[in-house]
């Protein structure tokens, strides 16, 4: 099995998502995905990664990951390059699963649970305008989730207030107003629903401490990214001065980005974003590292349909899995327009796919949509060790294997 063609697919209707399809010489197609600046990601794939991958065997995905990471790390360890690598890694796992006729969770050690508990993050699309209802009808919103069998939700009560002050300050009066929806939810529904809170990295430390302390009386499941994960000692201070578990962080990239936060116990719940931080391979490593420190993981979502499938394989096979994020406005609203089958969610749980590989594929009519752009690489080329292409230059052995 050798890689013969790599495609990227983007949509004008869903402007954040980039799908990657890797085709092999024996007719298989692996699907990957990432989210945010899809044209930039697509350019990274076709300019930098794809020419290096033509002719390689997908089963050697660890070596491919390392080779591409070395290539991109000439300039960066994150950004569009890491998102591109994440999407490629998912597609490689999909191919290997198909070739071995096993769902990916079986290649990650096998299932340690029969289904994956989910929570719902507030989002909006089509019939579901949950962002609006977080303020307008907080009890009705929570009750509608309970009616679907979902008893954990995540909200952004403070978002309008951080915009006003740049995240530098919140008055006691504004804080009280911001927490009114939460107060009503607790009063009317008691502990029927668990509530997590996401600060979206919008606050400085001082107002973050004030907010987290004010929310303690409402028994919050976790406080996520109240401050940006750029300084582990600031996170430590936040954790020490408050009582709610600190969750970090979708903005941390690779196992090296997570290391200090896990080691120092300030990521009390570890939240990797699979399509940003390096794919299935890297997320499994982060999950295993968290397990060494007796810390649970809660994979991040709020993006495209492939991420939910990919995270479910990690969630099914990781001993320290806590709960997986989902967004009902997306999985009920638009995922079915692009993938078949769609993710199967019943009574607050994702049910595992029995299909080999990822368990889903792009619908055959996606390429017929008028809003779709496809870019293809099917020719091999080399980049030299400092990341510049120079066909006339002799390249080191570890960059030149299996290239034309
Ligand atoms: Mg978040």
């Amino acid at each position: 099995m050798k890689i013969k063609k790599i495609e990227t697919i983007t949509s004008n209707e869903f402007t954040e998502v980039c799908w990657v399809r890797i085709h092999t010489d024996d007719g298989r197609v692996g699907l990957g995905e990432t989210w945010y600046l899809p044209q930039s990601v697509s350019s990274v794939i076709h300019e930098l990664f794809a020419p290096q991958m033509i002719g390689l065997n997908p089963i050697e995905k660890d070596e491919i990951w390392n080779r591409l990471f070395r290539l991109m790390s000439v300039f960066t360890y994150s950004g569009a390059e890491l998102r591109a690598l994440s999407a490629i890694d998912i597609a490689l796992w999909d191919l290997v699963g198909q070739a071995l006729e096993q769902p990916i969770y079986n290649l990650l050690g096998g299932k340690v649970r029969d289904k994956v508990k989910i929570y719902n993050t507030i989002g909006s699309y089509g019939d579901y305008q949950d962002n609006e209802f977080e303020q307008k009808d907080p009890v009705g919103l929570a009750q509608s989730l309970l009616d679907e069998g979902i008893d954990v939700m995540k909200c952004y009560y403070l978002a309008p207030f951080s915009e006003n002050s740049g995240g530098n300050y919140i008055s006691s009066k504004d804080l009280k107003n911001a927490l009114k929806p939460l107060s009503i939810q607790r009063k009317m529904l008691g502990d029927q629903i668990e509530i997590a809170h996401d600060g979206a990295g919008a606050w400085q430390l001082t107002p973050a401490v004030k907010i987290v302390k004010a929310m303690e009386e409402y028994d919050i499941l976790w406080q996520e990214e109240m401050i940006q994960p750029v300084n582990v000692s600031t996170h430590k201070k936040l954790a020490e001065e408050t009582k709610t578990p600190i969750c970090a962080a979708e903005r941390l990239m690779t196992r090296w980005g997570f290391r200090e936060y896990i080691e120092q116990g300030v990521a009390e719940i570890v939240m990797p974003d699979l399509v940003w931080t390096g794919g299935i391979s890297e997320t499994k490593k982060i999950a295993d590292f968290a397990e060494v420190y007796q810390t649970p993981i809660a994979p991040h979502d709020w993006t495209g349909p492939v991420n939910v499938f990919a995270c479910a394989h990690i969630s099914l096979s990781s001993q320290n899995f806590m709960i997986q994020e989902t967004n009902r406005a997306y999985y009920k609203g638009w995922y079915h327009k692009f993938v078949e089958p769609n993710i199967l969610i019943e009574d607050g749980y994702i049910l595992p796919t029995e299909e080999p590989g990822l368990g889903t594929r792009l619908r055959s009519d996606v390429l017929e949509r008028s809003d779709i752009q496809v870019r293809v690489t099917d020719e091999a080329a080399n980049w030299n060790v400092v990341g510049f292409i120079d066909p006339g230059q002799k390249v080191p052995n570890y960059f030149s294997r299996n290239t034309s």
Side-chain angles (χ1 to χ4, degrees), residues 139-214:
V139 176
L141 171 66
Q143 186 61 56
S144 75
L145 290 167
L146 289 169
D147 293 345
E148 290 180 21
I150 298 168
D151 61 1
V152 186
M153 67 190 288
K154 186 163 83 188
C155 292
Y156 299 81
Y157 305 107
L158 274 297
F161 297 87
S162 60
E163 281 166 26
N164 292 342
S165 74
N168 296 310
Y169 166 73
I170 186 161
S171 69
S172 298
K173 187 177 154 200
D174 280 350
L175 185 49
K176 213 167 268 175
N177 280 333
L179 298 183
K180 265 183 191 161
L182 171 61
S183 160
I184 296 166
Q185 283 166 333
R186 276 288 176 252
K187 192 171 165 194
M188 301 303 291
L189 297 168
D191 59 6
Q192 289 181 68
I193 193 150
E194 290 275 0
I195 301 174
H197 177 247
D198 191 341
W203 296 93
Q204 300 292 340
L205 177 62
T206 304
V209 170
K210 179 173 178 172
I211 293 163
V212 172
K213 280 184 170 171

Side-chain angles (χ1 to χ4, degrees), residues 115-127:
K115 53 188 183 176
V116 172
K117 186 168 178 63
I118 59 159
Y119 69 94
N120 190 76
T121 293
I122 304 308
S124 297
Y125 183 83
D127 293 340

Side-chain angles (χ1 to χ4, degrees), residues 119 121 154 156 198-201 224-225 250-251 271 300-301 325:
Y119 69 94
T121 293
K154 186 163 83 188
Y156 299 81
D198 191 341
E224 172 180 335
E225 291 198 337
E250 70 206 55
R251 289 171 173 81
M271 180 172 282
H300 178 254
D301 182 43
E325 185 168 21

Side-chain angles (χ1 to χ4, degrees), residues 304-340:
V306 172
N307 185 37
V308 182
F309 276 88
C311 286
H313 291 288
I314 297 281
S315 303
L316 283 162
S317 60
S318 297
Q319 294 286 351
N320 55 334
F321 165 74
M322 176 184 179
I323 196 163
Q324 182 173 320
E325 185 168 21
T326 54
N327 175 354
R328 68 175 176 178
Y330 288 7
Y331 66 75
K332 291 188 169 196
W334 64 269
Y335 286 176
H336 67 278
K337 295 181 179 183
F338 289 93
V339 297
E340 58 186 359

Side-chain angles (χ1 to χ4, degrees), residues 15-57:
T15 54
E16 306 296 344
V17 68
C18 180
W19 288 287
V20 178
R21 292 204 305 186
I22 302 179
H23 298 250
T24 59
D25 59 356
D26 53 2
R28 293 190 175 89
V29 182
L31 177 63
E33 173 188 280
T34 189
W35 182 267
Y36 191 54
L37 300 181
Q39 303 302 336
S40 304
V41 170
S42 173
S43 292
V44 169
I45 288 173
H46 295 289
E47 288 180 36
L48 184 62
F49 289 159
Q52 290 283 327
M53 295 170 63
I54 302 297
L56 300 185
N57 184 345

Side-chain angles (χ1 to χ4, degrees), residues 32-297:
E33 173 188 280
T34 189
W35 182 267
Y36 191 54
L37 300 181
Q39 303 302 336
S40 304
V41 170
S42 173
S43 292
V44 169
I45 288 173
H46 295 289
E47 288 180 36
L48 184 62
F49 289 159
Q52 290 283 327
M53 295 170 63
I54 302 297
L56 300 185
N57 184 345
I59 209 153
E60 294 169 0
K61 54 189 164 36
D62 228 39
E63 168 58 12
I64 296 173
W65 196 101
N66 280 294
R67 182 190 295 209
L68 300 183
F69 188 74
R70 280 196 300 265
L71 195 59
M72 68 181 245
S73 63
V74 172
F75 293 106
T76 181
Y77 294 93
S78 59
E81 286 91 338
L82 189 58
R83 293 198 297 280
L85 178 53
S86 305
I88 286 168
D89 180 78
I90 298 166
L92 295 175
W93 275 94
D94 188 19
L95 285 168
V96 174
Q98 290 175 39
L100 299 177
E101 300 183 344
Q102 290 295 326
I104 291 169
Y105 57 75
N106 277 345
L107 308 181
L108 292 168
K111 280 188 292 183
V112 296
R113 57 187 55 80
D114 292 330
K115 53 188 183 176
V116 172
K117 186 168 178 63
I118 59 159
Y119 69 94
N120 190 76
T121 293
I122 304 308
S124 297
Y125 183 83
D127 293 340
Y128 287 93
Q129 295 297 321
D130 291 346
N131 292 94
E132 191 184 330
F133 280 90
E134 182 183 300
Q135 298 292 326
K136 213 158 84 177
D137 183 11
V139 176
L141 171 66
Q143 186 61 56
S144 75
L145 290 167
L146 289 169
D147 293 345
E148 290 180 21
I150 298 168
D151 61 1
V152 186
M153 67 190 288
K154 186 163 83 188
C155 292
Y156 299 81
Y157 305 107
L158 274 297
F161 297 87
S162 60
E163 281 166 26
N164 292 342
S165 74
N168 296 310
Y169 166 73
I170 186 161
S171 69
S172 298
K173 187 177 154 200
D174 280 350
L175 185 49
K176 213 167 268 175
N177 280 333
L179 298 183
K180 265 183 191 161
L182 171 61
S183 160
I184 296 166
Q185 283 166 333
R186 276 288 176 252
K187 192 171 165 194
M188 301 303 291
L189 297 168
D191 59 6
Q192 289 181 68
I193 193 150
E194 290 275 0
I195 301 174
H197 177 247
D198 191 341
W203 296 93
Q204 300 292 340
L205 177 62
T206 304
V209 170
K210 179 173 178 172
I211 293 163
V212 172
K213 280 184 170 171
M215 293 177 82
E216 281 168 359
E217 65 174 291
Y218 300 109
D219 192 19
I220 299 298
L221 183 62
W222 68 65
Q223 288 286 357
E224 172 180 335
E225 291 198 337
M226 286 303 299
I227 55 178
Q228 289 274 357
V230 290
N231 183 335
V232 74
S233 60
T234 321
H235 262 79
K236 199 164 190 175
K237 203 160 182 199
L238 178 65
E240 283 168 358
E241 292 192 15
T242 57
K243 292 177 185 159
T244 309
I246 301 296
C247 174
E250 70 206 55
R251 289 171 173 81
L252 291 173
M253 297 296 121
T254 75
R255 73 202 91 153
W256 298 287
F258 274 91
R259 181 188 60 81
E260 265 193 306
Y261 286 80
I262 295 172
E263 277 178 353
Q264 298 204 25
V266 295
E268 294 169 296
I269 294 160
V270 170
M271 180 172 282
D273 185 294
L274 192 150
V275 300
W276 296 339
T277 201
I280 291 172
S281 301
E282 197 65 6
T283 303
K284 185 62 176 169
K285 287 178 173 130
I286 292 163
D288 288 346
F289 187 69
E291 194 189 358
V292 173
Y293 288 83
Q294 296 165 294
T295 305
I297 60 157

